[in-house]
Amino acid sequence: MKTVPRLLVTIPHFFKEGSNPLYGSGREKAANRIQALRRCVSALHQSLGSQHAVIQVGDRQGRRIEPAQRVALDIVICTVGDNHLLDHIQDMSGLFTHMAVTIQDPMLLGFECQRVMQERAGDHDWFAFMEDDLILSDPWFLSKLAWFQRHTTPLVLLQPNRYEVSGGPWHKVYIDGDLSAHLVNQIMPNGQICMKAEFLGLDIHFVQAKNPHSGTYFLTAEQLRHWMGRRSFLDYDTSLFGPLESAATYGVLRTFQIFKPHIGNAAFLEIQHHGHAFIRTLNTKFPMQDEPLR
């Protein structure tokens, strides 16, 4: 019998309206953040969970099915104090575990997620961090990561491309394009590494990420053990843009070589960012150019 992989997903969640104009947790209205959190949790179960069924029309029956890509899913949402919206999703309480932590700065919640991983390091096969406004809709997500790992080494970490969607004029926009040349040179002083592999009969290109941020990371148990032995683990270093970005990216950036699917096949591994905050900046903060990026 095939072993079902065990996945721990840790999610930092904080909300206090008006507390910080730079982040959705302090800038947006509660209703929007509730919707984001609902979609974040439910999409994980819909894509990776096991409570799936089929309607057998001819037999007039409903039957349970076992998806080939399912995992044993364990979601932990970390909060601090009363600044959260979990009371508004009580109907979903059976889909996650709530962990209240005691820290002075709620912006450091992402680091507390590392502590949860550390405490449960021997209990799972995969360990993930996800910001509370990300939506994972790919049932093959974990299988793709496992496939990539078999073709590389544990010191290489594949990150998804984040995107937003809207009704138009741009229906889908990837939001973590290349950083400035100065920052890229710091990330990869010896130049960008590129790889290619065949997947389902197609050539898929992977590149060392010129913007390593994705708001998430998924680690094998071996990768987590390696990271826990490094000084970059649970160090509360917030020097990469800000505390939220640092918790999501800076520790793994200093530990692994971070790759992403090339923008030409960005959808190979991707994750949706709730809302339209980045799409709205096109043609205002980021003017569109006529020449396509290749």
Side-chain angles (χ1 to χ4, degrees):
M1 180 179 294
K2 182 180 177 182
T3 302
V4 177
R6 298 164 299 172
L7 168 64
L8 171 66
V9 180
T10 60
I11 300 173
H13 169 63
F14 171 82
F15 178 79
K16 185 176 181 181
E17 189 172 338
S19 61
N20 191 326
L22 298 178
Y23 300 109
S25 59
R27 180 186 66 243
E28 298 177 5
K29 297 295 184 182
N32 190 51
R33 300 307 295 182
I34 293 168
Q35 183 185 29
L37 185 59
R38 279 187 173 277
R39 295 187 68 192
C40 178
V41 173
S42 60
L44 283 167
H45 285 277
Q46 291 159 5
S47 300
L48 302 178
S50 58
Q51 292 296 101
H52 295 182
V54 61
I55 295 175
Q56 296 289 76
V57 178
D59 294 336
R60 301 182 66 83
Q61 293 179 341
R63 297 290 296 276
R64 180 190 177 104
I65 60 174
E66 295 185 353
Q69 307 305 316
R70 78 187 191 281
V71 303
L73 186 60
D74 184 9
I75 300 175
V76 176
I77 300 180
C78 297
T79 67
V80 58
D82 296 326
N83 296 312
H84 62 78
L85 298 168
L86 298 188
D87 293 343
H88 297 271
I89 61 168
Q90 290 183 357
D91 57 307
M92 303 178 68
S93 61
L95 301 181
F96 62 87
T97 300
H98 177 202
M99 180 171 291
V101 302
T102 55
I103 53 175
Q104 295 297 316
D105 186 354
M107 293 293 103
L108 300 178
L109 266 174
F111 292 99
E112 293 302 307
C113 289
Q114 296 176 27
R115 191 182 304 280
V116 175
M117 295 181 198
Q118 183 182 48
E119 293 171 350
R120 305 189 183 194
D123 300 337
H124 297 79
D125 304 298
W126 289 86
F127 297 82
F129 166 91
M130 281 181 59
E131 293 178 349
D132 64 354
D133 56 1
L134 295 182
I135 304 156
L136 192 157
S137 303
D138 183 0
W140 292 82
F141 192 93
L142 214 60
S143 297
K144 291 174 182 177
L145 289 177
W147 170 84
F148 184 83
Q149 275 293 296
R150 291 195 296 270
H151 288 79
T152 55
T153 77
L155 296 181
V156 175
L157 176 62
L158 184 63
Q159 292 281 68
N161 289 297
R162 283 195 309 170
Y163 68 93
E164 288 184 353
V165 297
S166 73
W170 303 102
H171 299 157
K172 185 176 187 178
V173 174
Y174 291 97
I175 63 177
D176 297 308
D178 296 352
L179 298 173
S180 66
H182 171 69
L183 291 174
V184 170
N185 289 336
Q186 293 183 40
I187 295 172
M188 50 190 80
N190 298 319
Q192 188 181 44
I193 301 172
C194 303
M195 296 187 292
K196 181 178 75 172
E198 183 179 305
F199 185 83
L200 298 179
L202 300 173
D203 287 336
I204 304 296
H205 296 261
F206 304 93
V207 292
Q208 194 174 2
K210 291 186 177 180
N211 184 343
H213 187 63
S214 296
T216 183
Y217 53 79
F218 281 69
L219 306 173
T220 65
E222 182 179 3
Q223 288 175 316
L224 178 62
R225 286 194 300 269
H226 174 72
W227 187 20
M228 289 192 310
R230 298 285 297 267
R231 295 169 63 181
S232 56
F233 184 78
L234 201 56
D235 64 354
Y236 295 93
D237 188 328
T238 63
S239 55
L240 181 71
F241 305 127
L244 301 192
E245 297 85 357
S246 295
T249 303
Y250 199 32
V252 292
L253 176 61
R254 287 176 290 151
T255 308
F256 306 98
Q257 282 189 317
I258 293 184
F259 279 72
K260 290 184 179 181
H262 184 272
I263 197 65
N265 45 239
F268 175 83
L269 195 76
E270 62 182 10
I271 194 164
Q272 184 182 350
H273 183 255
H274 176 80
H276 314 100
F278 288 91
I279 285 183
R280 293 192 191 104
T281 65
L282 288 176
N283 289 327
T284 55
K285 186 176 180 181
F286 299 99
M288 287 296 301
Q289 306 300 308
D290 293 332
E291 183 67 22
L293 184 65
R294 302 190 186 280

mmCIF file of all heavy atoms in Angstrom, residues 204-228:
data_model
loop_
_atom_site.group_PDB
_atom_site.id
_atom_site.type_symbol
_atom_site.label_atom_id
_atom_site.label_comp_id
_atom_site.label_asym_id
_atom_site.label_seq_id
_atom_site.Cartn_x
_atom_site.Cartn_y
_atom_site.Cartn_z
ATOM 1 N N ILE A 204 10.758 21.782 -19.330
ATOM 2 C CA ILE A 204 10.442 22.759 -18.294
ATOM 3 C C ILE A 204 11.747 23.398 -17.834
ATOM 4 O O ILE A 204 12.701 22.700 -17.483
ATOM 5 C CB ILE A 204 9.732 22.104 -17.092
ATOM 6 C CG1 ILE A 204 8.479 21.358 -17.557
ATOM 7 C CG2 ILE A 204 9.374 23.148 -16.048
ATOM 8 C CD1 ILE A 204 7.408 22.239 -18.139
ATOM 9 N N HIS A 205 11.795 24.718 -17.844
ATOM 10 C CA HIS A 205 13.001 25.454 -17.468
ATOM 11 C C HIS A 205 12.840 26.010 -16.049
ATOM 12 O O HIS A 205 11.780 26.509 -15.680
ATOM 13 C CB HIS A 205 13.258 26.594 -18.455
ATOM 14 C CG HIS A 205 13.552 26.119 -19.839
ATOM 15 N ND1 HIS A 205 14.830 26.012 -20.336
ATOM 16 C CD2 HIS A 205 12.716 25.709 -20.836
ATOM 17 C CE1 HIS A 205 14.783 25.562 -21.579
ATOM 18 N NE2 HIS A 205 13.512 25.372 -21.904
ATOM 19 N N PHE A 206 13.916 25.906 -15.287
ATOM 20 C CA PHE A 206 13.969 26.431 -13.925
ATOM 21 C C PHE A 206 15.166 27.364 -13.822
ATOM 22 O O PHE A 206 16.223 27.088 -14.383
ATOM 23 C CB PHE A 206 14.109 25.297 -12.905
ATOM 24 C CG PHE A 206 13.023 24.265 -12.995
ATOM 25 C CD1 PHE A 206 13.185 23.124 -13.774
ATOM 26 C CD2 PHE A 206 11.830 24.425 -12.309
ATOM 27 C CE1 PHE A 206 12.190 22.174 -13.864
ATOM 28 C CE2 PHE A 206 10.824 23.482 -12.401
ATOM 29 C CZ PHE A 206 11.003 22.353 -13.178
ATOM 30 N N VAL A 207 14.996 28.463 -13.101
ATOM 31 C CA VAL A 207 16.075 29.442 -12.966
ATOM 32 C C VAL A 207 16.251 29.802 -11.497
ATOM 33 O O VAL A 207 15.282 29.801 -10.720
ATOM 34 C CB VAL A 207 15.785 30.725 -13.774
ATOM 35 C CG1 VAL A 207 15.836 30.447 -15.266
ATOM 36 C CG2 VAL A 207 14.446 31.332 -13.398
ATOM 37 N N GLN A 208 17.481 30.089 -11.134
ATOM 38 C CA GLN A 208 17.732 30.622 -9.804
ATOM 39 C C GLN A 208 16.971 31.941 -9.695
ATOM 40 O O GLN A 208 17.073 32.805 -10.559
ATOM 41 C CB GLN A 208 19.225 30.820 -9.585
ATOM 42 C CG GLN A 208 19.614 31.056 -8.143
ATOM 43 C CD GLN A 208 21.122 31.095 -7.960
ATOM 44 O OE1 GLN A 208 21.883 30.987 -8.917
ATOM 45 N NE2 GLN A 208 21.556 31.255 -6.729
ATOM 46 N N ALA A 209 16.174 32.076 -8.651
ATOM 47 C CA ALA A 209 15.188 33.159 -8.589
ATOM 48 C C ALA A 209 15.845 34.516 -8.389
ATOM 49 O O ALA A 209 16.559 34.730 -7.399
ATOM 50 C CB ALA A 209 14.188 32.891 -7.469
ATOM 51 N N LYS A 210 15.577 35.448 -9.297
ATOM 52 C CA LYS A 210 16.029 36.830 -9.134
ATOM 53 C C LYS A 210 15.113 37.606 -8.194
ATOM 54 O O LYS A 210 15.387 38.764 -7.893
ATOM 55 C CB LYS A 210 16.107 37.514 -10.499
ATOM 56 C CG LYS A 210 17.232 36.969 -11.380
ATOM 57 C CD LYS A 210 17.366 37.764 -12.665
ATOM 58 C CE LYS A 210 18.530 37.267 -13.485
ATOM 59 N NZ LYS A 210 18.698 38.030 -14.756
ATOM 60 N N ASN A 211 14.051 36.985 -7.777
ATOM 61 C CA ASN A 211 13.224 37.470 -6.665
ATOM 62 C C ASN A 211 12.802 36.223 -5.894
ATOM 63 O O ASN A 211 11.874 35.528 -6.300
ATOM 64 C CB ASN A 211 12.003 38.248 -7.160
ATOM 65 C CG ASN A 211 11.189 38.840 -6.017
ATOM 66 O OD1 ASN A 211 11.336 38.434 -4.858
ATOM 67 N ND2 ASN A 211 10.322 39.787 -6.327
ATOM 68 N N PRO A 212 13.456 35.929 -4.782
ATOM 69 C CA PRO A 212 13.204 34.657 -4.084
ATOM 70 C C PRO A 212 11.905 34.626 -3.292
ATOM 71 O O PRO A 212 11.505 33.563 -2.813
ATOM 72 C CB PRO A 212 14.405 34.535 -3.151
ATOM 73 C CG PRO A 212 14.809 35.953 -2.865
ATOM 74 C CD PRO A 212 14.552 36.699 -4.148
ATOM 75 N N HIS A 213 11.225 35.759 -3.140
ATOM 76 C CA HIS A 213 10.046 35.803 -2.272
ATOM 77 C C HIS A 213 8.837 35.163 -2.945
ATOM 78 O O HIS A 213 8.550 35.411 -4.117
ATOM 79 C CB HIS A 213 9.723 37.250 -1.911
ATOM 80 C CG HIS A 213 8.626 37.374 -0.891
ATOM 81 N ND1 HIS A 213 8.743 36.870 0.383
ATOM 82 C CD2 HIS A 213 7.386 37.940 -0.968
ATOM 83 C CE1 HIS A 213 7.627 37.116 1.056
ATOM 84 N NE2 HIS A 213 6.796 37.756 0.267
ATOM 85 N N SER A 214 8.128 34.331 -2.178
ATOM 86 C CA SER A 214 6.871 33.740 -2.639
ATOM 87 C C SER A 214 5.801 33.783 -1.560
ATOM 88 O O SER A 214 4.667 33.373 -1.805
ATOM 89 C CB SER A 214 7.077 32.280 -3.068
ATOM 90 O OG SER A 214 7.942 32.178 -4.183
ATOM 91 N N GLY A 215 6.151 34.220 -0.354
ATOM 92 C CA GLY A 215 5.198 34.218 0.747
ATOM 93 C C GLY A 215 4.962 32.834 1.315
ATOM 94 O O GLY A 215 4.084 32.653 2.168
ATOM 95 N N THR A 216 5.738 31.851 0.872
ATOM 96 C CA THR A 216 5.559 30.473 1.301
ATOM 97 C C THR A 216 6.849 29.700 1.060
ATOM 98 O O THR A 216 7.729 30.153 0.326
ATOM 99 C CB THR A 216 4.408 29.812 0.525
ATOM 100 O OG1 THR A 216 4.191 28.480 1.013
ATOM 101 C CG2 THR A 216 4.704 29.744 -0.960
ATOM 102 N N TYR A 217 6.973 28.549 1.678
ATOM 103 C CA TYR A 217 8.004 27.575 1.321
ATOM 104 C C TYR A 217 7.547 26.210 1.804
ATOM 105 O O TYR A 217 6.821 26.088 2.794
ATOM 106 C CB TYR A 217 9.377 27.931 1.911
ATOM 107 C CG TYR A 217 9.408 28.180 3.406
ATOM 108 C CD1 TYR A 217 9.424 27.128 4.320
ATOM 109 C CD2 TYR A 217 9.447 29.479 3.908
ATOM 110 C CE1 TYR A 217 9.466 27.363 5.693
ATOM 111 C CE2 TYR A 217 9.485 29.716 5.278
ATOM 112 C CZ TYR A 217 9.505 28.658 6.154
ATOM 113 O OH TYR A 217 9.535 28.892 7.517
ATOM 114 N N PHE A 218 7.937 25.196 1.069
ATOM 115 C CA PHE A 218 7.652 23.805 1.402
ATOM 116 C C PHE A 218 8.976 23.063 1.484
ATOM 117 O O PHE A 218 9.746 23.052 0.515
ATOM 118 C CB PHE A 218 6.761 23.161 0.335
ATOM 119 C CG PHE A 218 5.311 23.512 0.439
ATOM 120 C CD1 PHE A 218 4.875 24.807 0.166
ATOM 121 C CD2 PHE A 218 4.365 22.554 0.786
ATOM 122 C CE1 PHE A 218 3.530 25.140 0.242
ATOM 123 C CE2 PHE A 218 3.020 22.878 0.874
ATOM 124 C CZ PHE A 218 2.599 24.170 0.608
ATOM 125 N N LEU A 219 9.243 22.436 2.626
ATOM 126 C CA LEU A 219 10.505 21.747 2.872
ATOM 127 C C LEU A 219 10.268 20.269 3.135
ATOM 128 O O LEU A 219 9.295 19.898 3.800
ATOM 129 C CB LEU A 219 11.216 22.348 4.086
ATOM 130 C CG LEU A 219 11.479 23.849 4.098
ATOM 131 C CD1 LEU A 219 12.040 24.263 5.452
ATOM 132 C CD2 LEU A 219 12.439 24.246 2.987
ATOM 133 N N THR A 220 11.170 19.434 2.632
ATOM 134 C CA THR A 220 11.157 18.036 3.051
ATOM 135 C C THR A 220 11.668 17.960 4.482
ATOM 136 O O THR A 220 12.273 18.912 4.998
ATOM 137 C CB THR A 220 12.050 17.182 2.151
ATOM 138 O OG1 THR A 220 13.421 17.599 2.320
ATOM 139 C CG2 THR A 220 11.657 17.323 0.683
ATOM 140 N N ALA A 221 11.457 16.811 5.133
ATOM 141 C CA ALA A 221 11.969 16.622 6.492
ATOM 142 C C ALA A 221 13.484 16.765 6.510
ATOM 143 O O ALA A 221 14.051 17.331 7.452
ATOM 144 C CB ALA A 221 11.546 15.255 7.019
ATOM 145 N N GLU A 222 14.151 16.282 5.468
ATOM 146 C CA GLU A 222 15.609 16.408 5.394
ATOM 147 C C GLU A 222 16.032 17.864 5.285
ATOM 148 O O GLU A 222 16.999 18.303 5.938
ATOM 149 C CB GLU A 222 16.136 15.617 4.196
ATOM 150 C CG GLU A 222 17.655 15.649 4.052
ATOM 151 C CD GLU A 222 18.153 14.851 2.868
ATOM 152 O OE1 GLU A 222 17.313 14.316 2.110
ATOM 153 O OE2 GLU A 222 19.387 14.765 2.690
ATOM 154 N N GLN A 223 15.332 18.638 4.477
ATOM 155 C CA GLN A 223 15.658 20.056 4.346
ATOM 156 C C GLN A 223 15.438 20.803 5.652
ATOM 157 O O GLN A 223 16.246 21.675 6.022
ATOM 158 C CB GLN A 223 14.832 20.678 3.220
ATOM 159 C CG GLN A 223 15.269 20.260 1.828
ATOM 160 C CD GLN A 223 14.362 20.804 0.758
ATOM 161 O OE1 GLN A 223 13.125 20.761 0.890
ATOM 162 N NE2 GLN A 223 14.923 21.314 -0.323
ATOM 163 N N LEU A 224 14.362 20.481 6.360
ATOM 164 C CA LEU A 224 14.117 21.139 7.632
ATOM 165 C C LEU A 224 15.219 20.815 8.633
ATOM 166 O O LEU A 224 15.693 21.710 9.342
ATOM 167 C CB LEU A 224 12.762 20.731 8.201
ATOM 168 C CG LEU A 224 12.424 21.336 9.575
ATOM 169 C CD1 LEU A 224 12.350 22.858 9.505
ATOM 170 C CD2 LEU A 224 11.127 20.758 10.130
ATOM 171 N N ARG A 225 15.637 19.559 8.712
ATOM 172 C CA ARG A 225 16.724 19.193 9.639
ATOM 173 C C ARG A 225 17.991 19.973 9.310
ATOM 174 O O ARG A 225 18.696 20.454 10.217
ATOM 175 C CB ARG A 225 16.990 17.694 9.568
ATOM 176 C CG ARG A 225 15.938 16.837 10.248
ATOM 177 C CD ARG A 225 16.427 15.415 10.439
ATOM 178 N NE ARG A 225 16.746 14.783 9.169
ATOM 179 C CZ ARG A 225 15.880 14.071 8.450
ATOM 180 N NH1 ARG A 225 14.629 13.922 8.882
ATOM 181 N NH2 ARG A 225 16.235 13.510 7.309
ATOM 182 N N HIS A 226 18.278 20.113 8.025
ATOM 183 C CA HIS A 226 19.466 20.878 7.621
ATOM 184 C C HIS A 226 19.342 22.333 8.046
ATOM 185 O O HIS A 226 20.292 22.910 8.603
ATOM 186 C CB HIS A 226 19.644 20.788 6.106
ATOM 187 C CG HIS A 226 20.746 21.652 5.569
ATOM 188 N ND1 HIS A 226 22.081 21.360 5.763
ATOM 189 C CD2 HIS A 226 20.713 22.826 4.875
ATOM 190 C CE1 HIS A 226 22.821 22.298 5.203
ATOM 191 N NE2 HIS A 226 22.015 23.199 4.671
ATOM 192 N N TRP A 227 18.187 22.920 7.816
ATOM 193 C CA TRP A 227 17.986 24.331 8.168
ATOM 194 C C TRP A 227 18.062 24.534 9.681
ATOM 195 O O TRP A 227 18.666 25.508 10.147
ATOM 196 C CB TRP A 227 16.640 24.806 7.630
ATOM 197 C CG TRP A 227 16.396 26.286 7.795
ATOM 198 C CD1 TRP A 227 17.328 27.267 8.008
ATOM 199 C CD2 TRP A 227 15.128 26.948 7.761
ATOM 200 N NE1 TRP A 227 16.721 28.501 8.100
ATOM 201 C CE2 TRP A 227 15.383 28.327 7.951
ATOM 202 C CE3 TRP A 227 13.827 26.508 7.574
ATOM 203 C CZ2 TRP A 227 14.351 29.273 7.970
ATOM 204 C CZ3 TRP A 227 12.804 27.444 7.584
ATOM 205 C CH2 TRP A 227 13.065 28.807 7.777
ATOM 206 N N MET A 228 17.499 23.627 10.453
ATOM 207 C CA MET A 228 17.524 23.773 11.907
ATOM 208 C C MET A 228 18.945 23.737 12.455
ATOM 209 O O MET A 228 19.204 24.250 13.543
ATOM 210 C CB MET A 228 16.670 22.674 12.568
ATOM 211 C CG MET A 228 15.182 22.846 12.355
ATOM 212 S SD MET A 228 14.153 21.770 13.421
ATOM 213 C CE MET A 228 14.897 20.178 13.154
#
